[in-house]
Amino acid sequence: MAINPCTPGALQRVFEADIPTPDIFPNPILQVLQVKSLAAQPGAPERYRVVFSDTQNFIQSMLATQATAHVLDGSIEKGCFVQLTNYQANKVKDKKILIVMGLEVLTQYGKQEKIGEPVSLEASQRPQALDRARAGQNEKQSSATSFYGSKPPPAPAEQRGVPARQAQTATTAHPSAPSAAHPNIYPIESLSPYQNRWTIRARVTYKSPIKLWNNSNRDGRLFNVTLIDESGEIRATGFNDQVDSFYDVLQEGQIYYISNCRVNFAKKQFSNINNDYELAFERNTEVEKCNDVDDGLPMARFSFVQFSELENIQNDAIIDVIGVIKDVGEAAGIVSKTTQKPYTKRDVTLVDKSGYAVRVTVWGNSAENWDTQPDEIVAFKGVKVSDFSGRSLSVLHSSSMTVNPDIDESHALRGWYDGQGRGETFQSHYSGSTGIRANEPYKTLAQIRDENLGMGEEADIFTTKATVVYIKNENFSYPACLTPKCNKKVTEIAEGQWKCEKCDITHPKPQHRYIMTLSCSDAFGLAWLSCFDEVGNMIMGMTADELVELNQSGGPGFADAFSQANCKSYIFRCRAKMDVYQDQQRVRYQVLNASPVNFALEAHKLIDQIKLYS
């Protein structure tokens, strides 16, 4: 015989409570009658509407983003039973909606056909509403405001119209006043343009500087803040007079009661917040500092992307990242090609546990006043992915940065870096078509021949992991021009005079650059690879000028340098193309980029491959 675990009458009791929260009516058990996916804007997470029944009534509910995992993993389905652990009962224009932030799926009861003959909660309460309407005008007024809780008593005459700047002081004098004045708080995730009256209790996680704007008709000032509660986050913007009213009141890290804002559709081009709506402060907006005990409102909300996954992220996407600072570049001035305006930029290199390093570009005052040091952890929210010179990240006006955040991801990153990451070698994302791509499968040296790479009209690009077994020590470099970005070969026309035909300049000495030939091996074959100066510097551990000097000294250091460079493994990114040498055609394998093998990363790749066969 089937067991009915539901809590009969729970829905009606939840919505009749003066403060319809789990604190008043804890953990009702309901049956799922329907699960439906809702259309979402591009880039926004999928949302779900669920119809719950307590066997007497049913109601439509919205699952908060933190609860959608139960739908995605198949736990919630038609006929199953759930126990609500965190929820908010709302009424919007006589329509009752249950916002569910937390629940537990009761798998021990399995799935059953619909229990009972539940009716819509609104329909079951219409006769009661009609009776209240006949009871008189006072009762009607009480009903009209019951959704927002008991209306607070009017403020004393001397405090009416208190400016928003003074709201914080007025609230501080009576710490219990906010709770009495706002007994029914909306979750941020339930806000929409179709609601007229609401109050949110939210923490300010970011406040922008005051910005100036202008167009053909007028100009003005604005600022924006990011607000967060347990259900989600939203962006709020104040213009002109509202800058004077609210900018000094709202402080990062503090919690506020906020009401009477206009809810607009979000302008995604100006915001990195995962919300379809945003708020605009208005003349009658109310902002009061919350002096209640901080009961766990989050300090920030992140959705981090590992650096190894950047290759699969769409260009111009907005993401969150966290990493350890490996290097801080110098501030540099540039001029925009489009606006001709000068800008200051600074490149910061971050690394993470995935074994990759990425360059983050910081702009403006942040670049000029940068004071965060290497080995510190930084979390960036809302940075843009760019394919300029390889996968890199750029900080926007709407981005925010937190140094050493007190979150689990930061603590785990610190433990890894202090334990092993500090001494690791990190891979970087490819630059155009010449660098090492993340997660690209390797070709064995046998495969590049069996697949005839380089035999066609177009060059073939491939990545291979191989070990250097021999380096030719003859003609390993050439004398190059000292002019930046020239690199052409120079000829000695007299002692202390080296001439570049391209630049038509004579230099007192050349700069030697590598043109090395390597014999490399893997478990399946051998191949000769050609490499230029950057790769040669890495493999030899010294510049070509230094190696030439060792050669001219006649000591054992020259031979030792080649001996020490042998038997080391690298990841090579190569171009295979047909070449003609001494009237014979052959395929030449030119190294475009190389990096030492990251054994920790390679071990994870091998584990993933093994899992494919298990």
Side-chain angles (χ1 to χ4, degrees), residues 6-40:
C6 290
T7 310
L11 295 175
Q12 184 170 346
R13 293 166 62 189
V14 163
F15 278 89
E16 286 179 348
D18 291 333
I19 308 177
T21 65
D23 297 332
I24 300 300
F25 190 81
N27 304 336
I29 297 178
L30 306 173
Q31 185 181 24
V32 175
L33 300 186
Q34 185 184 67
V35 181
K36 184 176 181 181
S37 174
L38 300 178

Short mmCIF file of all heavy atoms in Angstrom, two decimals, residues 6-40:
data_model
loop_
_atom_site.label_atom_id
_atom_site.label_comp_id
_atom_site.label_asym_id
_atom_site.label_seq_id
_atom_site.Cartn_x
_atom_site.Cartn_y
_atom_site.Cartn_z
N CYS A 6 2.78 13.45 2.41
CA CYS A 6 2.55 14.89 2.26
C CYS A 6 2.02 15.52 3.55
O CYS A 6 1.46 14.84 4.42
CB CYS A 6 1.58 15.17 1.12
SG CYS A 6 2.27 14.82 -0.52
N THR A 7 2.17 16.83 3.64
CA THR A 7 1.67 17.60 4.77
C THR A 7 0.38 18.29 4.33
O THR A 7 0.42 19.36 3.72
CB THR A 7 2.70 18.64 5.21
OG1 THR A 7 3.98 18.01 5.38
CG2 THR A 7 2.27 19.31 6.51
N PRO A 8 -0.81 17.69 4.60
CA PRO A 8 -2.07 18.27 4.10
C PRO A 8 -2.28 19.68 4.65
O PRO A 8 -2.02 19.97 5.83
CB PRO A 8 -3.14 17.30 4.64
CG PRO A 8 -2.39 16.02 4.90
CD PRO A 8 -1.03 16.43 5.33
N GLY A 9 -2.75 20.57 3.77
CA GLY A 9 -3.04 21.94 4.18
C GLY A 9 -1.82 22.82 4.35
O GLY A 9 -1.94 23.98 4.77
N ALA A 10 -0.64 22.31 4.01
CA ALA A 10 0.59 23.08 4.24
C ALA A 10 0.60 24.37 3.42
O ALA A 10 0.99 25.43 3.93
CB ALA A 10 1.81 22.23 3.89
N LEU A 11 0.18 24.30 2.16
CA LEU A 11 0.26 25.48 1.31
C LEU A 11 -0.63 26.61 1.82
O LEU A 11 -0.22 27.78 1.83
CB LEU A 11 -0.11 25.12 -0.13
CG LEU A 11 0.86 24.15 -0.84
CD1 LEU A 11 0.32 23.77 -2.21
CD2 LEU A 11 2.24 24.77 -0.97
N GLN A 12 -1.84 26.27 2.24
CA GLN A 12 -2.74 27.30 2.76
C GLN A 12 -2.16 27.92 4.03
O GLN A 12 -2.20 29.14 4.22
CB GLN A 12 -4.12 26.71 3.03
CG GLN A 12 -5.15 27.76 3.48
CD GLN A 12 -6.55 27.17 3.51
OE1 GLN A 12 -6.79 26.09 2.97
NE2 GLN A 12 -7.47 27.87 4.13
N ARG A 13 -1.60 27.11 4.89
CA ARG A 13 -1.04 27.62 6.14
C ARG A 13 0.19 28.50 5.88
O ARG A 13 0.42 29.50 6.57
CB ARG A 13 -0.68 26.46 7.06
CG ARG A 13 -1.91 25.69 7.57
CD ARG A 13 -1.51 24.36 8.19
NE ARG A 13 -0.65 24.54 9.35
CZ ARG A 13 -0.02 23.53 9.97
NH1 ARG A 13 -0.17 22.29 9.50
NH2 ARG A 13 0.73 23.76 11.01
N VAL A 14 0.98 28.13 4.86
CA VAL A 14 2.15 28.94 4.53
C VAL A 14 1.75 30.34 4.10
O VAL A 14 2.33 31.34 4.54
CB VAL A 14 2.98 28.26 3.41
CG1 VAL A 14 3.95 29.24 2.78
CG2 VAL A 14 3.74 27.06 3.98
N PHE A 15 0.72 30.43 3.26
CA PHE A 15 0.33 31.75 2.74
C PHE A 15 -0.55 32.53 3.71
O PHE A 15 -0.72 33.73 3.55
CB PHE A 15 -0.37 31.58 1.39
CG PHE A 15 0.58 31.43 0.25
CD1 PHE A 15 1.02 30.16 -0.13
CD2 PHE A 15 1.08 32.52 -0.42
CE1 PHE A 15 1.91 30.01 -1.16
CE2 PHE A 15 1.98 32.37 -1.47
CZ PHE A 15 2.40 31.11 -1.85
N GLU A 16 -1.10 31.89 4.71
CA GLU A 16 -1.88 32.62 5.71
C GLU A 16 -1.00 33.17 6.82
O GLU A 16 -1.42 34.04 7.58
CB GLU A 16 -2.94 31.70 6.32
CG GLU A 16 -4.11 31.43 5.40
CD GLU A 16 -5.13 30.51 6.04
OE1 GLU A 16 -4.80 29.92 7.09
OE2 GLU A 16 -6.24 30.38 5.49
N ALA A 17 0.24 32.69 6.92
CA ALA A 17 1.12 33.15 7.99
C ALA A 17 1.47 34.61 7.78
O ALA A 17 1.59 35.10 6.66
CB ALA A 17 2.40 32.30 8.01
N ASP A 18 1.62 35.33 8.88
CA ASP A 18 2.01 36.73 8.79
C ASP A 18 3.39 36.87 8.19
O ASP A 18 3.69 37.83 7.47
CB ASP A 18 2.00 37.38 10.18
CG ASP A 18 0.58 37.52 10.73
OD1 ASP A 18 -0.34 37.61 9.90
OD2 ASP A 18 0.42 37.55 11.96
N ILE A 19 4.27 35.95 8.51
CA ILE A 19 5.61 35.94 7.94
C ILE A 19 5.82 34.58 7.30
O ILE A 19 6.29 33.64 7.95
CB ILE A 19 6.69 36.20 9.01
CG1 ILE A 19 6.37 37.47 9.79
CG2 ILE A 19 8.07 36.32 8.37
CD1 ILE A 19 7.34 37.74 10.91
N PRO A 20 5.42 34.41 6.03
CA PRO A 20 5.42 33.08 5.41
C PRO A 20 6.83 32.62 5.05
O PRO A 20 7.25 32.69 3.92
CB PRO A 20 4.58 33.29 4.16
CG PRO A 20 4.73 34.74 3.84
CD PRO A 20 4.92 35.45 5.14
N THR A 21 7.56 32.15 6.02
CA THR A 21 8.91 31.64 5.80
C THR A 21 9.07 30.32 6.53
O THR A 21 8.24 29.95 7.36
CB THR A 21 9.95 32.64 6.35
OG1 THR A 21 9.80 32.71 7.77
CG2 THR A 21 9.78 34.01 5.75
N PRO A 22 10.17 29.60 6.28
CA PRO A 22 10.39 28.32 6.97
C PRO A 22 10.48 28.46 8.49
O PRO A 22 10.30 27.49 9.21
CB PRO A 22 11.74 27.85 6.38
CG PRO A 22 11.81 28.50 5.05
CD PRO A 22 11.15 29.84 5.22
N ASP A 23 10.79 29.69 8.99
CA ASP A 23 10.86 29.85 10.44
C ASP A 23 9.49 29.68 11.09
O ASP A 23 9.39 29.28 12.25
CB ASP A 23 11.42 31.24 10.78
CG ASP A 23 12.83 31.41 10.27
OD1 ASP A 23 13.54 30.39 10.16
OD2 ASP A 23 13.22 32.54 9.97
N ILE A 24 8.42 30.04 10.37
CA ILE A 24 7.07 29.95 10.91
C ILE A 24 6.47 28.57 10.67
O ILE A 24 5.83 27.98 11.52
CB ILE A 24 6.18 31.05 10.29
CG1 ILE A 24 6.76 32.42 10.63
CG2 ILE A 24 4.75 30.93 10.79
CD1 ILE A 24 6.85 32.71 12.11
N PHE A 25 6.69 28.03 9.47
CA PHE A 25 6.12 26.72 9.14
C PHE A 25 7.23 25.89 8.50
O PHE A 25 7.45 25.95 7.30
CB PHE A 25 4.94 26.88 8.17
CG PHE A 25 4.17 25.59 7.99
CD1 PHE A 25 3.23 25.20 8.94
CD2 PHE A 25 4.41 24.78 6.91
CE1 PHE A 25 2.54 24.01 8.77
CE2 PHE A 25 3.72 23.59 6.75
CZ PHE A 25 2.78 23.21 7.68
N PRO A 26 7.98 25.13 9.27
CA PRO A 26 9.18 24.49 8.76
C PRO A 26 8.91 23.22 7.97
O PRO A 26 8.04 22.43 8.30
CB PRO A 26 9.97 24.17 10.03
CG PRO A 26 8.91 23.98 11.07
CD PRO A 26 7.80 24.93 10.72
N ASN A 27 9.66 23.05 6.88
CA ASN A 27 9.86 21.78 6.18
C ASN A 27 8.58 21.03 5.81
O ASN A 27 8.41 19.85 6.17
CB ASN A 27 10.74 20.86 7.02
CG ASN A 27 12.07 21.51 7.36
OD1 ASN A 27 12.53 22.41 6.65
ND2 ASN A 27 12.67 21.07 8.44
N PRO A 28 7.65 21.65 5.07
CA PRO A 28 6.49 20.88 4.59
C PRO A 28 6.92 19.87 3.53
O PRO A 28 7.85 20.10 2.77
CB PRO A 28 5.58 21.96 3.99
CG PRO A 28 6.50 23.06 3.60
CD PRO A 28 7.60 23.06 4.62
N ILE A 29 6.19 18.75 3.46
CA ILE A 29 6.45 17.72 2.45
C ILE A 29 5.37 17.82 1.39
O ILE A 29 4.17 17.82 1.69
CB ILE A 29 6.48 16.32 3.07
CG1 ILE A 29 7.62 16.22 4.10
CG2 ILE A 29 6.63 15.25 2.00
CD1 ILE A 29 7.68 14.88 4.81
N LEU A 30 5.79 17.93 0.10
CA LEU A 30 4.86 18.13 -1.01
C LEU A 30 5.16 17.13 -2.11
O LEU A 30 6.25 16.56 -2.20
CB LEU A 30 4.99 19.56 -1.56
CG LEU A 30 4.85 20.70 -0.54
CD1 LEU A 30 5.17 22.03 -1.20
CD2 LEU A 30 3.44 20.73 0.06
N GLN A 31 4.14 16.94 -2.97
CA GLN A 31 4.31 16.07 -4.14
C GLN A 31 4.47 16.93 -5.39
O GLN A 31 3.81 17.97 -5.54
CB GLN A 31 3.11 15.14 -4.32
CG GLN A 31 3.32 14.13 -5.45
CD GLN A 31 2.11 13.21 -5.64
OE1 GLN A 31 1.00 13.56 -5.28
NE2 GLN A 31 2.35 12.03 -6.21
N VAL A 32 5.34 16.50 -6.29
CA VAL A 32 5.59 17.20 -7.55
C VAL A 32 4.58 16.71 -8.58
O VAL A 32 4.52 15.52 -8.89
CB VAL A 32 7.03 16.97 -8.05
CG1 VAL A 32 7.22 17.61 -9.42
CG2 VAL A 32 8.04 17.51 -7.06
N LEU A 33 3.77 17.66 -9.11
CA LEU A 33 2.80 17.30 -10.14
C LEU A 33 3.28 17.62 -11.55
O LEU A 33 2.85 16.99 -12.52
CB LEU A 33 1.48 18.04 -9.88
CG LEU A 33 0.78 17.75 -8.54
CD1 LEU A 33 -0.57 18.45 -8.51
CD2 LEU A 33 0.62 16.26 -8.31
N GLN A 34 4.18 18.60 -11.65
CA GLN A 34 4.64 18.99 -12.99
C GLN A 34 5.97 19.71 -12.87
O GLN A 34 6.21 20.44 -11.91
CB GLN A 34 3.61 19.90 -13.67
CG GLN A 34 3.95 20.25 -15.12
CD GLN A 34 2.95 21.23 -15.70
OE1 GLN A 34 2.88 22.38 -15.27
NE2 GLN A 34 2.17 20.78 -16.68
N VAL A 35 6.86 19.50 -13.86
CA VAL A 35 8.13 20.21 -13.96
C VAL A 35 8.23 20.75 -15.38
O VAL A 35 8.10 19.99 -16.34
CB VAL A 35 9.34 19.29 -13.67
CG1 VAL A 35 10.64 20.08 -13.75
CG2 VAL A 35 9.20 18.63 -12.31
N LYS A 36 8.47 22.07 -15.49
CA LYS A 36 8.51 22.68 -16.81
C LYS A 36 9.67 23.65 -16.89
O LYS A 36 9.91 24.43 -15.98
CB LYS A 36 7.20 23.43 -17.09
CG LYS A 36 7.13 24.03 -18.51
CD LYS A 36 5.79 24.67 -18.76
CE LYS A 36 5.72 25.23 -20.18
NZ LYS A 36 4.43 25.89 -20.46
N SER A 37 10.41 23.57 -18.01
CA SER A 37 11.52 24.49 -18.25
C SER A 37 10.99 25.81 -18.78
O SER A 37 10.08 25.85 -19.61
CB SER A 37 12.51 23.88 -19.24
OG SER A 37 13.51 24.80 -19.57
N LEU A 38 11.57 26.91 -18.30
CA LEU A 38 11.17 28.24 -18.74
C LEU A 38 12.22 28.80 -19.67
O LEU A 38 13.42 28.57 -19.50
CB LEU A 38 10.99 29.17 -17.54
CG LEU A 38 9.93 28.76 -16.53
CD1 LEU A 38 9.90 29.75 -15.37
CD2 LEU A 38 8.56 28.67 -17.19
N ALA A 39 11.80 29.57 -20.65
CA ALA A 39 12.72 30.18 -21.60
C ALA A 39 13.61 31.18 -20.87
O ALA A 39 13.16 31.93 -20.02
CB ALA A 39 11.96 30.89 -22.72
N ALA A 40 14.89 31.17 -21.18
CA ALA A 40 15.85 32.08 -20.57
C ALA A 40 16.59 32.85 -21.65
O ALA A 40 16.68 32.41 -22.80
CB ALA A 40 16.86 31.32 -19.70
#
